[in-house]
């Protein structure tokens, strides 16, 4: 008996030796008691299981119980509310000189500090990967957006395990972690019900996820998930909008957490879809902003207004110059009346979406105060994950996926959507001229990593009592990778050496906490060097100097033309941004040796951070082979109901011939692009049960094959399409047959060439988001088949 007890005590002594480094930091209560807590050294996450520290004899009455201490963050560690909006140019929000009111961002800036020299990667998912890992975007696997991932370490859209996220680190140190909104960091080929789920938010260190997967989503009918399960709260709720719903969800989540565990701090990663297309504010916000007439004067006048505001607010120094308007974009005064009418409407809706998004963020911030947590919360509000988007092309579009398929929509056709712009009947984006204006005072826009118009983001930080220079402005150069080190220093949590047994790569960023003191106003930046690269455009910052390539292609003009040689086909520019913060005075011709020095530094950094090989292709990368659940398959078979399958896991019918066969039993009795084989619901009992195949060409044209009404019983319905290819987007001839008899034959001049809307899904037996029909054969999801589907077969022919 005694011998057993002594062994237990020896184990307890060993436990003390093992745990001492951690316990030496902060321990509360008596070790072994249920209420004891400890912080971690942080070097190994998760820490090893502690050895039992009590006494075990044969009888419980002669033994001593012992509980491992609960892991908690360091004393005084704040909650963290990390906010980032989407596709917001530097000059868009009122907080940074824009004309759109953004009182929530104002609130954080006025109670904390504004940063005017803070930078992203110039594109969505790369910025987001860098933000949550603290590593450069190529190191984090996102040299480009996941939709065009390629098989190189810097471009494969996989966050390697050596790059643990801020969610994982804080969770292992006792934080409650959650993610609300856009998830653009799950590889597309892992986004189905089959997983794996280690690259979903719940596998990246966030205990709770409520949001959508992909680059964008309708705010009226999104591809919405709770953790890894698709949900459809918008069905039957005509006024439902995700922008409000996710604020409600985050507020309830924080409230519940603080009521159940008041002392447990939270990390809330809050990333709404606004203002990425589709621009989907509520009608009330459209009316409110339209009535302000903020954009009636056009983009050239607006740009001058924004720049004047920036100087007045101190966002831009007195010596800063407004960069010139590009010759590739039309001047506002050169436009006709119809163009001005349409483009103003586009911008009114965008402005409404920005104001609406900021308003809902304001509700989340107010909820933190209402919970009594504001003084103990570090709030970081990043305005945009890249520059303003010119992906609406020169004239804008009622459906963003026309751009991604290389289709420009004429102004006269867009006016058909004028009254509905921003509603669930559109998936809209504005004209490229507005994007350039929203990037004031800089040159270029989203996608262009070489210039600040693509990378400069307004950002504000507040933490009452800790951020000393309330209302201050900082001009030190910083980057999105600096956020994780800042959060770790603020929380007192150490960067782990290993995570789940994997040695961790050091962070590429530096903490920004040094800027919180008033003495830092004119102090130097602790970030000395930063490279930029996206789609072949590149730049290097070093100690106040920037060398950058001149973009060889226009981000608003998608083209199948062969790009120039990625190394030799670009000119380089040179700027001294201490004297020229807007990059308006190119010094390359005067200082060629400095250019060569900066070029050499870029390539050194590119090699160090997995940016090689450089690739300036775009269309080719859309269609590059990737890991896929459908790779090599030509025959797909389904039965009963199946819903929510993403395009990556569904039969890909683009640019090929195919046959769809449905064996059904009849009982008695994506709006913006896609296809559907269904039975008509009819009108007033007439036409019910007619087999219909409908092909929706990006909401621009619908082709319908229709057969006779089916009698009760078993039937075989076949749609056979023969492509006119080879080539992208070729038309073809489709034949609809019922029980072996042809019932309809039609031809199409064009099909969708590159991609279907990514927020729609492949469904069998029902339709879960938006109906593929518009007027004729229109139906409201969920549109369920009331008969039986014995078997549905999709047969694909080779790509032509």
């Amino acid at each position: 008996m005694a011998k057993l007890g002594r062994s237990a005590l020896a184990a307890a002594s060993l436990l003390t030796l093992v745990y001492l480094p951690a316990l030496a930091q902060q321990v509360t209560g008596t070790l072994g008691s249920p209420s004891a807590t400890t912080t971690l050294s942080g070097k190994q996450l998760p820490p090893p299981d502690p050895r039992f520290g009590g006494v075990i004899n044969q009888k419980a009455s002669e033994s001593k119980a012992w509980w491992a201490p609960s892991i908690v963050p360091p004393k005084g560690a704040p909650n963290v509310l990390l906010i980032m909006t989407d596709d917001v140019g530097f000059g868009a929000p009122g907080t940074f000189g824009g004309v759109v009111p953004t009182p929530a961002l104002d609130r954080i800036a006025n109670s904390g500090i504004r940063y005017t020299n803070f930078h992203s990667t110039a594109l969505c998912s790369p910025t987001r990967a860098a933000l949550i890992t603290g590593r450069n975007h190529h190191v984090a696997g996102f040299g480009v957006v996941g939709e065009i991932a390629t098989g190189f370490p810097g471009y494969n859209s996989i966050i390697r395990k050596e790059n643990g996220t801020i969610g994982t680190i804080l969770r292992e140190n006792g934080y409650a972690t959650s993610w609300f909104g856009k998830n653009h960091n799950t590889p597309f080929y892992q986004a189905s019900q089959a997983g794996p789920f280690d690259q979903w938010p719940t596998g990246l260190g966030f205990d709770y996820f409520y949001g959508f997967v992909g680059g964008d989503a309708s705010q009226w009918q999104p591809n919405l998930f709770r953790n890894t399960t698709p949900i459809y709260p918008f069905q039957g709720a005509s006024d439902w909008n995700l922008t409000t719903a996710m604020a409600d969800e985050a507020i309830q989540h924080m409230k519940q957490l603080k009521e159940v565990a008041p002392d447990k701090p939270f990390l809330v990663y809050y990333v709404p879809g606004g203002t990425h297309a589709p621009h989907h504010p509520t009608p009330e916000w459209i009316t409110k902003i339209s009535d302000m007439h903020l954009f009636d004067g056009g983009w050239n006048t607006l740009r001058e207004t924004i720049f004047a505001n920036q100087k007045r607010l101190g966002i831009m120094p007195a010596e800063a110059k407004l960069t010139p308007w590009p010759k590739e974009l039309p001047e506002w005064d050169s436009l006709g009346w119809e163009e001005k009418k349409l483009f103003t409407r586009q911008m009114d809706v965008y402005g409404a979406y920005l104001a609406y998004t900021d308003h809902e963020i304001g509700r989340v911030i107010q909820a933190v105060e209402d919970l009594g947590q504001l003084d103990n919360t570090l709030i970081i509000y990043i305005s945009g994950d890249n520059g303003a988007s010119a992906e609406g092309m020169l004239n804008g579009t009622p459906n963003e996926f026309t751009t991604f398929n290389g289709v420009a929509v004429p102004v006269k056709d867009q006016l058909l959507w004028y009254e509905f712009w921003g509603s669930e009947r559109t998936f809209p984006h504005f004209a490229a001229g507005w994007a350039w204006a929203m990037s004031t005072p800089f040159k270029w826009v989203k996608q262009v990593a070489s210039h600040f118009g693509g990378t400069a983001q307004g950002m504000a930080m507040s933490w009452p009592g800790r951020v000393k220079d309330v209302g201050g402005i900082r001009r030190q150069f910083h980057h999105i990778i600096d956020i994780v080190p800042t959060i770790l220093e603020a929380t007192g949590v150490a960067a782990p050496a290993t995570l789940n047994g994997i040695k961790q790569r050091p962070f590429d960023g530096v903490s920004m906490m040094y800027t919180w003191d008033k003495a830092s106003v004119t102090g130097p930046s602790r970030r000395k060097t930063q490279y930029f690269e996206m789609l072949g455009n590149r730049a290097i910052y070093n100690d106040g100097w920037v060398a950058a390539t001149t973009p060889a292609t226009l981000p608003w003009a998608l083209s199948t033309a062969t790009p120039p040689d990625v190394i030799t086909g670009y000119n380089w520019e040179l700027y001294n941004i201490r004297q020229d913060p807007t990059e308006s005075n190119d010094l390359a011709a005067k200082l060629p040796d400095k250019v060569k020095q900066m070029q050499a530094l870029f390539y050194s950094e590119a090699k160090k951070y997995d940016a090689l090989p450089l690739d300036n292709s775009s269309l080719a990368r859309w269609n590059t082979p990737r890991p896929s659940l459908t790779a090599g398959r030509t025959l797909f078979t389904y039965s009963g109901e199946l819903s929510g399958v993403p395009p990556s896991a569904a039969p890909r019918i683009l640019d090929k011939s195919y046959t769809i066969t449905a064996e059904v039993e009849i009982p008695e009795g994506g709006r913006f692009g896609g296809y559907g084989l269904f039975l008509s619901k009819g009108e007033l009992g007439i036409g019910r049960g007619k087999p219909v195949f409908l092909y929706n060409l990006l909401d621009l044209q619908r082709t319908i094959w229709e057969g006779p009404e089916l009698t009760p019983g078993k039937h075989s319905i076949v749609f056979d399409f023969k492509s006119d290819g080879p080539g992208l987007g070729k038309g073809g001839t489709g034949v609809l047959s019922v029980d072996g008899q042809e019932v309809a034959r039609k031809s199409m001049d064009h099909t969708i060439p590159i991609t279907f809307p990514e927020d729609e899904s492949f469904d069998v037996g029902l339709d879960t988001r938006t109906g593929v029909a518009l007027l004729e054969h229109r139906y409201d999801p969920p549109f369920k088949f009331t008969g039986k589907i014995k078997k549905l077969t999709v047969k694909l022919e080779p790509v032509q």
Side-chain angles (χ1 to χ4, degrees), residues 124-125 128 142 145-147 179 182-186 188 214-215:
C124 301
S125 50
R128 293 161 190 272
F142 278 89
V145 289
E147 292 90 330
W179 180 331
K182 176 172 173 174
N183 164 27
H184 204 186
N185 291 123
T186 296
F188 271 57

Side-chain angles (χ1 to χ4, degrees), residues 641 765-767 780-787:
E641 284 189 2
L766 72 169
D767 195 357
D780 295 317
F783 184 51
K784 291 193 174 187
F785 180 53
T786 57

Side-chain angles (χ1 to χ4, degrees), residues 78-99:
N79 306 302
V80 180
L81 176 56
L82 177 57
I83 303 163
M84 185 167 67
T85 51
D86 200 340
D87 281 12
V88 179
F90 181 83
T95 316
F96 288 87
V99 298

Side-chain angles (χ1 to χ4, degrees), residues 53 72 100 133 229 234 259 315 335 355 489-490 655 678 697 716 790:
V72 296
V100 179
T133 66
T229 302
F234 47 82
E259 289 176 347
I315 302 302
L335 301 175
E489 184 179 358
D655 305 312
F678 57 92
L697 184 66
S716 177
K790 183 179 179 181

Side-chain angles (χ1 to χ4, degrees), residues 35 61 216 270 354 375 460 493 510 589 605 725 791 795:
S35 60
S61 60
D216 59 22
Y270 192 85
L354 176 56
D375 288 346
V493 170
V510 299
E605 295 289 288
K791 184 164 66 172
K795 182 180 180 182

Side-chain angles (χ1 to χ4, degrees), residues 631-781:
R633 293 177 62 187
T634 59
L635 192 65
F636 300 78
T637 303
Y638 309 93
S639 63
E641 284 189 2
L642 176 68
S643 65
V645 179
S648 62
R652 182 177 171 86
I653 69 167
L654 298 179
D655 305 312
K656 60 175 67 75
S657 301
Y658 55 89
T659 302
I660 302 175
T661 302
E663 298 177 16
V664 301
E665 184 173 339
I666 307 300
E668 298 285 351
R671 176 172 290 146
F672 304 105
Y675 61 95
L677 177 62
F678 57 92
L679 298 186
S680 172
K681 68 182 181 66
E683 296 292 339
L684 301 175
I686 301 173
R688 180 179 177 84
K690 290 183 177 182
V692 175
F693 185 86
L694 191 154
Y695 192 95
N696 177 1
L697 184 66
L698 301 171
D699 207 25
L700 302 175
Q701 182 183 52
R702 285 169 170 81
T703 306
I704 299 172
W705 292 257
E706 179 182 326
E709 185 174 341
L710 299 183
T711 58
K714 295 180 179 180
H715 295 277
S716 177
I717 307 168
V718 178
F719 181 78
D720 183 70
F721 181 78
K722 299 299 183 188
S723 172
D724 292 337
L728 294 175
K730 296 293 185 179
T733 300
V735 175
L736 180 66
S737 302
V738 177
D739 299 330
Q741 299 294 316
E742 179 179 319
V743 295
R745 176 186 292 264
K746 284 188 178 181
S747 296
M748 294 188 292
D749 293 332
H750 302 285
T751 57
I752 296 173
I754 299 172
T755 181
F756 286 120
E758 61 182 293
D759 69 333
E760 283 289 352
S761 58
F762 178 77
D763 301 319
V764 176
L766 72 169
D767 195 357
T768 53
R769 291 195 174 91
T770 61
V772 70
L774 182 60
L775 297 175
E776 188 176 4
H777 303 300
R778 184 182 182 277
Y779 57 84
D780 295 317

Side-chain angles (χ1 to χ4, degrees), residues 259-343:
E259 289 176 347
V260 173
D263 296 330
K264 190 179 184 74
F266 59 70
L267 165 66
V268 171
Y269 179 42
Y270 192 85
V271 278
T275 57
H276 196 293
H279 303 155
H280 275 167
T282 61
E284 296 78 11
W285 278 99
I286 294 175
T287 298
K288 180 177 181 178
I289 296 300
S290 297
D291 288 349
M292 296 172 72
H293 299 283
L294 299 173
F295 311 109
D296 292 2
W299 44 58
N300 297 102
T301 298
L302 176 63
R303 201 160 179 261
E304 294 171 358
T305 298
I306 294 172
F307 189 53
N309 290 342
Q310 290 171 336
K311 286 201 168 184
R312 175 177 53 81
L313 293 169
I315 302 302
M316 282 291 124
E319 68 273 14
K321 296 179 180 179
L322 181 62
T323 52
W325 186 258
K327 64 181 185 304
E328 294 87 353
L329 291 173
E331 299 274 350
W332 184 260
D333 289 343
S334 72
L335 301 175
W337 176 83
E338 285 189 336
E339 292 170 310
K340 290 181 177 179
K341 175 183 178 182
L342 173 66
F343 297 165

